[in-house]
């Protein structure tokens, strides 16, 4: 497994970057809104899909679910009478209305699923991930949400991969 991840990271770093790219700022969020700037993600196209290169700090160590959400906002919302971080971002982006959460590599699920991001023991996210089913253009007019827990790419046993609370957010504006 470690060898596979190392080879994939090597391919991503060695892959030529095409012209279209974005730099999006990432903020930690809570039920009251944006808390602080914690870094950025460079988003670029490669021959294999979209590459996300995070430069993020202050995260809980481990894997974190990562998704494209429908609305371009990081604002909180209210659910069952309680304020919820990032809820105004809406659900995962699902342009084909599949209603299925199956991960970033399945062609049967929604396109909002991205590969989990990894935070090292110091809470730094630096490893790039590849999303083969989307384009940089697809991201515009949406938000990127980082969740508290890893995503199991299923709706079983918990909805949306069990990735939990929304803890960080980036807005990708239409240009």
């Amino acid at each position: 497994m470690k060898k596979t991840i190392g080879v994939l990271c090597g391919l991503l770093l060695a892959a030529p970057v095409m012209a279209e790219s974005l730099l999006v700022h990432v903020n930690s969020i809570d039920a009251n809104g944006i808390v602080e700037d914690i870094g950025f993600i460079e988003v670029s196209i490669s021959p294999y899909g979209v590459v996300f290169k995070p430069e993020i700090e202050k995260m809980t160590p481990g894997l974190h679910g990562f998704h494209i959400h429908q609305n371009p906002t990081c604002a909180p919302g209210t659910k069952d009478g309680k304020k919820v971080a990032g809820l105004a971002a809406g659900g995962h982006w699902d342009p084909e209305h599949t209603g299925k959460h199956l991960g970033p590599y399945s062609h049967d699920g929604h396109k909002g699923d991205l590969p989990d991001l990894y935070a090292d023991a110091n809470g730094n996210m630096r490893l790039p991930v590849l999303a083969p089913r989307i384009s940089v253009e697809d991201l515009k007019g949406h938000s990127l949400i980082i969740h508290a827990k890893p995503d199991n790419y299923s709706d079983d046993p918990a909805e949306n991969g069990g990735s939990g609370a929304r803890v960080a957010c980036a807005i990708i504006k239409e240009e």
Side-chain angles (χ1 to χ4, degrees):
M1 178 72 169
K2 287 183 181 179
K3 185 175 181 180
T4 302
I5 291 172
V7 169
L8 179 59
C9 287
L11 282 172
L12 292 175
L13 294 174
V17 175
M18 307 285 181
E20 190 170 11
S21 66
L22 300 169
L23 189 65
V24 293
H25 290 276
V26 179
N27 294 291
S28 62
I29 56 175
D30 67 15
N32 294 312
I34 291 175
V35 176
E36 69 178 310
D37 182 351
I38 57 171
F40 63 89
I41 299 173
E42 179 184 344
V43 183
S44 59
I45 190 72
S46 82
Y48 311 105
V50 173
V51 177
F52 294 86
K53 293 181 185 173
E55 290 288 333
I56 299 172
E57 300 176 341
K58 301 180 182 180
M59 297 296 293
T60 304
L63 291 171
H64 294 265
F66 184 42
H67 304 106
I68 304 167
H69 282 252
Q70 188 62 42
N71 304 317
T73 180
C74 296
T78 304
K79 182 176 181 178
D80 300 328
K82 293 185 179 182
K83 288 176 93 177
V84 178
L87 192 62
H92 296 177
W93 179 56
D94 187 7
E96 285 93 24
H97 307 287
T98 67
K100 297 178 184 175
H101 181 80
L102 300 174
Y105 310 110
S106 170
H107 290 282
D108 296 326
H110 64 69
K111 289 186 173 182
D113 283 339
L114 299 174
D116 281 355
L117 294 177
Y118 173 75
D120 66 20
N122 296 315
N124 299 314
M125 291 180 165
R126 303 281 187 265
L127 293 177
V129 295
L130 174 70
R133 298 179 50 219
I134 61 171
S135 71
V136 172
E137 190 65 31
D138 287 337
L139 300 172
K140 294 178 181 175
H142 298 287
S143 58
L144 297 174
I145 298 284
I146 302 172
H147 293 266
K149 300 177 187 175
D151 188 333
N152 71 1
Y153 307 126
S154 172
D155 283 320
D156 185 34
E159 182 180 42
N160 293 322
S163 53
R166 301 168 187 205
V167 297
C169 180
I171 298 169
I172 303 177
K173 298 182 175 143
E174 292 280 349
E175 291 181 9

